[in-house]
Structures are given as C-alpha cells and as structure tokens.
Amino acid sequence: MLIVGTGGHALDTFDVLMQLNMHQNVVFFNNVEPNFVFESNSLKNYRIIRDTNTLKAYFNADPRFVLGIGNPKNRKILCELMISCGGTPHTIVSPKASVGKL
C-alpha cells in the first residue's frame, strides 16, 4: 500500500495502517522534497518513491494508494496523478473511529 505524502497527515494515515496491521509493506510517495528522509528510527526503513517512473513500476505490483495529504487542492492533484500512473484509490478507517447518525 502506498501512502501519498510524508508529512503529518501521512503519518496519521500510517498509524491507522499500523492499527489495522497493514503496515508491513507500506511505501510512501514524496516528489516535492528530493532529499527527504524520516527522522524517526521506526520509519527509516520504509521506502520513499520520488518520481513517476518508479511510481508506475510500483503500481504494476500493487496499485493501492491512500492519500496522506490534508490540503484539498493538493489531494485532488495527487489523486489524479496516482490514477494516471496506474494507482487505485483506497479508503481506510481507523478501528478507533466512531461512525453513526445524529
């Protein structure tokens, strides 16, 4: 599963994947900061894809992605980019979430 982004929202998304025990094969995408590395030791071993050619190759093996970007304008742009590269958007819901009617 690819998480689009490497900032705070992406880390929150990663936390949900950990809660769901789906974090083993997570890959991140960041094409804005070419030298970005995670400072946390627990994240240093996770791969970061930085370009669309590598992204397309990744999506050939696993097309699933979730958006780890909070800004609506950037979410739309990146979602369209992911789909154009062969990705399939997925939704994840935290097991701690409460969904109900008022």
Side-chain angles (χ1 to χ4, degrees):
M1 171 89 64
L2 181 121
I3 297 176
V4 181
T6 54
H9 193 80
L11 297 179
D12 289 342
T13 302
F14 178 75
D15 185 54
V16 172
L17 289 173
M18 285 184 65
Q19 294 168 26
L20 296 169
N21 198 28
M22 296 174 61
H23 64 285
Q24 294 82 5
N25 297 313
V26 166
V27 174
F28 292 86
F29 179 78
N30 180 337
N31 66 339
V32 177
E33 302 170 88
N35 298 316
F36 178 85
V37 293
F38 287 112
E39 292 181 15
S40 167
N41 285 333
S42 61
L43 292 169
K44 285 189 178 192
N45 292 327
Y46 286 90
R47 180 177 170 204
I48 301 172
I49 295 175
R50 301 172 193 282
D51 63 87
T52 55
N53 288 332
T54 306
L55 182 65
K56 289 175 185 178
Y58 174 81
F59 281 151
N60 281 331
D62 184 356
R64 301 171 303 150
F65 74 89
V66 291
L67 295 169
I69 303 289
N71 179 290
K73 180 181 174 184
N74 292 338
R75 285 175 65 86
K76 183 179 188 311
I77 291 168
L78 287 164
C79 186
E80 290 171 352
L81 174 64
M82 297 299 117
I83 292 169
S84 74
C85 288
T88 303
H90 280 264
T91 300
I92 58 171
V93 178
S94 170
K96 297 178 181 179
S98 175
V99 181
K101 296 180 183 180
L102 294 177

